[in-house]
Amino acid sequence: MREEKDLLGTLMVPDDAYYGIQTQRAVLNFSVSGQTAGDIPHFLWSIAAIKQAAAQANAQIGALEPRKAAVIVTASQEVMNGNFAAHFPIDVFQGGGGTSTNMNMNEVVANRANELLTGARGYDAIHPNTHVNMGQSTNDVIPAAMKMTSRMNIKHLLVQLEKLEAVLADKSRLFADKVKLGRTCLQDAVPMTFGQQFGAYRTQVSRLKEKLTEVNEEALCLPLGATAIGTGLSTHEGYLPAVYQWLETLTGEKYRPETDFFDGLQHGDFYIEFSAQLKKIAAFLSKMATDFRIQGSGPRAGFNEIIVPAVQPGSSIMPGKINPVMPELMNQIAYQVIGNDVTVTMAVEGGELDLNVWEPVLLKALFESCSLLSRGIPLFIDKCLKDIAINEEVSARYAEESTALATVVATLFGYQVGSRIAKAAYQQQCSVKQVVLAEKLLTPEQADYLLDPMNMTDPQKSTAAIKRYQTEMNMS
């Protein structure tokens, strides 16, 4: 152990640690969740990238000695490469608006930079605050890093949504001629195809991608340069354009400063919007998963019209039982994401006065949601969606026997006649077609083309069938 000092006194720090006393205090204060900033994909990378760009910018404008900037750049790059992952031990939950995480980065970079410059760790040549944190504040570094992290995580999620969209498009084409009974209010409705069902899913994913892409563009606006409360206090002349220039060189992204730094530090509507898109994705996935659970229920006392792939035995007591575990997984992911959205909303609402200090819980909630979706979607595709199948015999029977086929009868003969035919079919436990033929409302040939469930799934075919009937009956 080694002894370090700060304004509160002294504290022992592990001798082999690249972090220092402020990190050690945070470890002792905040160990509640077992998760650290390093568990959030790309977050530490983003903070280190800011430190590197700041050092380069400060050197460019003459505020920082080139040799000191050079070792800060090298040390930051090593952190970005993952070399010091074990030296970021602070819990993701913490007070102080992320100050502990920012100082953790400053201390690690400073110790390593000092080591590169002098051969020994410590702050003799490179100080965490004076040099590594030059022109910065926790208040602009952490939210800027959060937006950069958002952009990288959103890009990964968009890739998964593209894969989901492609699989749904394939299923829509594959199931284009597989008829099923539509249902509203969990009751029998008119026929449709499984292709139309999966096509609707694909369209929804396409819209979700579009909205998430819009949010991703908003993530390019950073509060970096605002420092403590938006005034830019402690930055040197020329720093602001230089730091964004270097950040673009480093990341390849065209990051730009917020139009109003005071707004950027106080208001977190970006996070509400980001979380809202994650919630929408989760709600859709859960809805689709529930559809599969209902349609795959049975196999003898349920719908049994689709076959959800079996991936594991379903019961410790009932032999042969198979549960829809992958759809159930998606439901649970959705419940967590939707709960996280409430957390994000409250954390943004609580950003009192001149700074929102709730970045730690925003980080935890947002990127847990993003990771759950990014990891859950490929599992759902691989273990459920790509091999989902249709029980064609059962589905076709449901469509043919539905009393909702009386809708066509109502179109031809009026709603009262249609209702009477539907009621008779239900009471007699037979099909609408059988009742229509028994009452001689239609000829067998007319019943065949008018009451064909597949024809009813296509507006053009159903319209043509009714027109054909009207022509045969000399109806205007």
Side-chain angles (χ1 to χ4, degrees):
M1 304 290 285
R2 67 178 188 268
E3 184 179 85
E4 291 200 7
K5 297 180 181 179
D6 63 10
L7 66 89
L8 296 183
T10 61
L11 196 66
M12 302 304 293
V13 178
D15 195 47
D16 60 349
Y18 277 85
Y19 58 79
I21 188 170
Q22 292 206 42
T23 300
Q24 186 64 28
R25 288 196 187 280
V27 169
L28 298 175
N29 288 335
F30 305 129
S31 296
V32 291
S33 74
Q35 292 182 275
T36 69
D39 293 319
I40 299 170
H42 312 299
F43 183 50
L44 292 178
W45 188 97
S46 297
I47 301 174
I50 289 172
K51 300 301 175 183
Q52 184 176 132
Q56 291 168 314
N58 283 313
Q60 177 182 322
I61 63 176
L64 182 63
E65 294 178 50
R67 66 189 185 94
K68 291 184 177 180
V71 289
I72 291 173
V73 166
T74 299
S76 299
Q77 186 62 54
E78 289 178 347
V79 172
M80 293 163 69
N81 295 343
N83 294 14
F84 299 99
H87 297 267
F88 293 89
I90 304 173
D91 199 282
V92 68
F93 282 107
Q94 56 190 262
T99 297
S100 297
T101 296
N102 185 42
M103 283 307 304
N104 189 172
M105 181 64 71
N106 289 335
E107 289 174 340
V108 169
V109 171
N111 268 298
R112 178 55 180 154
N114 207 80
E115 188 176 54
L116 290 169
L117 197 60
T118 69
R121 273 175 276 179
Y123 308 139
D124 293 339
I126 306 293
H127 192 274
N129 301 77
T130 305
H131 303 112
V132 182
N133 202 60
M134 180 179 284
Q136 307 150 63
S137 164
T138 292
N139 299 353
D140 66 338
V141 167
I142 294 300
M146 285 173 63
K147 280 196 164 183
M148 293 169 63
T149 305
S150 298
R151 188 158 173 82
M152 286 184 276
N153 278 274
I154 288 172
K155 283 184 175 181
H156 182 59
L157 180 54
L158 283 169
V159 170
Q160 304 312 313
L161 288 175
E162 287 172 1
K163 293 177 182 177
L164 179 62
E165 183 181 26
V167 173
L168 290 170
D170 287 342
K171 290 296 180 183
S172 180
R173 289 188 290 268
L174 182 64
F175 298 153
D177 61 348
K178 305 294 187 290
V179 72
K180 58 162 278 190
L181 179 60
R183 294 182 181 84
T184 59
C185 302
L186 291 178
Q187 302 297 304
D188 298 354
V190 296
M192 61 186 291
T193 68
F194 282 98
Q196 291 165 334
Q197 175 181 331
F198 281 80
Y201 295 152
R202 186 211 64 78
T203 301
Q204 168 75 319
V205 174
S206 177
R207 288 192 290 113
L208 292 170
K209 279 174 46 191
E210 181 179 343
K211 293 297 183 181
L212 191 60
T213 300
E214 292 175 8
V215 172
N216 208 23
E217 290 307 300
E218 292 182 34
L220 288 169
C221 293
L222 308 182
L224 187 64
T227 66
I229 59 171
T231 62
L233 185 65
S234 85
T235 60
H236 293 81
E237 184 180 359
Y239 168 78
L240 192 62
V243 75
Y244 280 92
Q245 176 191 354
W246 282 107
L247 204 57
E248 180 179 345
T249 300
L250 178 59
T251 66
E253 298 279 13
K254 293 187 178 296
Y255 291 111
R256 57 187 181 273
E258 301 269 11
T259 55
D260 184 332
F261 279 151
F262 298 97
D263 168 48
L265 294 188
Q266 295 176 39
H267 304 132
D269 47 291
F270 167 79
Y271 303 116
I272 288 182
E273 184 64 28
F274 180 14
S275 184
Q277 300 312 318
L278 298 179
K279 180 175 68 172
K280 285 164 59 177
I281 295 167
F284 160 69
L285 289 167
S286 187
K287 187 271 183 194
M288 179 169 61
T290 298
D291 289 348
F292 293 165
R293 287 171 48 232
I294 293 172
Q295 292 177 283
S297 61
R300 295 189 176 179
F303 280 30
N304 193 29
E305 64 185 19
I306 70 168
I307 302 167
V308 177
V311 296
Q312 66 183 58
S315 174
S316 62
I317 188 173
M318 293 174 281
K321 186 173 185 290
I322 299 295
N323 296 330
V325 295
M326 299 313 295
E328 289 173 346
L329 174 68
M330 293 311 303
N331 289 136
Q332 292 175 82
I333 288 174
Y335 302 156
Q336 183 66 64
V337 171
I338 293 167
N340 285 342
D341 181 66
V342 176
T343 299
V344 169
T345 302
M346 296 305 298
V348 171
E349 183 275 336
E352 69 282 338
L353 301 179
D354 302 313
L355 178 71
N356 188 306
V357 300
W358 310 119
E359 284 100 341
V361 74
L362 284 168
L363 275 165
K364 169 71 164 55
L366 279 170
F367 297 110
E368 178 179 66
S369 293
C370 209
S371 291
L372 284 170
L373 292 170
S374 293
R375 295 170 183 171
I377 289 171
L379 283 174
F380 189 61
I381 291 172
D382 184 57
K383 295 182 179 294
C384 179
L385 193 54
K386 72 178 180 65
D387 292 322
I388 208 162
I390 307 303
N391 190 334
E392 295 184 45
E393 181 182 352
V394 169
S395 298
R397 175 163 52 81
Y398 287 158
E400 291 164 1
E401 294 179 355
S402 171
T403 57
L405 269 62
T407 302
V408 174
V409 179
T411 302
L412 297 174
F413 303 105
Y415 191 82
Q416 289 181 315
V417 174
S419 296
R420 178 174 59 79
I421 295 298
K423 183 177 181 180
Y426 179 76
Q427 291 177 336
Q428 298 170 27
Q429 294 293 295
C430 62
S431 68
V432 167
K433 185 176 182 179
Q434 288 171 315
V435 175
V436 165
L437 292 175
E439 295 194 11
K440 300 187 184 322
L441 284 175
L442 299 171
T443 67
E445 183 184 12
Q446 289 170 338
D448 282 343
Y449 68 76
L450 283 166
L451 299 177
D452 181 348
M454 272 301 295
N455 284 345
M456 294 184 192
T457 69
D458 186 326
Q460 292 182 333
K461 289 183 179 179
S462 61
T463 300
I466 291 172
K467 183 177 181 180
R468 174 182 170 185
Y469 172 81
Q470 292 172 332
T471 300
E472 291 172 354
M473 305 305 293
N474 295 317
M475 298 170 65
S476 58

